[in-house]
Amino acid sequence: MHADTKIERIQPDSDYVEIAVEVFRLLADATRIRIVLALQDDELSVNHLADIVDRSPASVSQHLAKLRWGKLVQVRKHGNRVFYRLTDEHAKRLVIEAILQAEHTVDESPAHHA
């Protein structure tokens, strides 16, 4: 187990609550959710991400800039190509948990409980 994934009880007065709100705001966009899911196993270029999420490269670049600002993704440059990857597993876990929660909203017996 990674040391940074150890879960401790977090108090309601934590200094990180307001920052967590900003993380949720960053992820409160369907294109950004799709980008995080696309990056869950690999690093990808803007054009490849654009194909996966069915958006223009310019639009994906704008979303990636916001995700970079929030330190949810990182960049690797190789020549004139730029590749993006998730900074760590936390954004992926947040998105997956949100989707699992969404299943509860829609389905009486969510597939992940089968």
Side-chain angles (χ1 to χ4, degrees):
M1 180 179 237
H2 301 294
D4 69 340
T5 59
K6 181 181 177 189
I7 298 175
E8 297 179 20
R9 183 157 173 83
I10 298 172
Q11 299 301 316
D13 63 348
S14 169
D15 294 337
Y16 294 104
V17 168
E18 297 301 322
I19 297 169
V21 170
E22 292 303 318
V23 170
F24 282 121
R25 281 189 185 128
L26 278 172
L27 292 174
D29 181 276
T31 299
R32 287 184 220 131
I33 295 287
R34 289 183 173 99
I35 289 170
V36 170
L37 291 171
L39 292 172
Q40 66 183 317
D41 296 320
D42 202 4
E43 66 177 17
L44 300 168
S45 68
V46 172
N47 288 333
H48 195 172
L49 281 166
D51 288 341
I52 292 169
V53 302
D54 197 27
R55 298 287 184 263
S56 71
S59 172
V60 170
S61 289
Q62 289 176 350
H63 287 289
L64 286 166
K66 291 177 182 178
L67 293 171
R68 278 183 71 189
W69 174 84
K71 299 183 180 169
L72 299 175
V73 298
Q74 293 179 335
V75 175
R76 179 180 68 87
K77 294 182 180 184
H78 183 73
N80 62 351
R81 296 193 67 193
V82 178
F83 296 90
Y84 290 85
R85 69 179 180 279
L86 296 178
T87 300
D88 53 44
E89 77 281 356
H90 299 297
K92 171 185 164 182
R93 288 175 35 204
L94 276 171
V95 167
I96 289 171
E97 289 298 324
I99 288 176
L100 294 176
Q101 185 62 44
E103 284 184 14
H104 282 274
T105 304
V106 175
D107 301 324
E108 195 170 309
S109 297
H112 67 272
H113 283 290

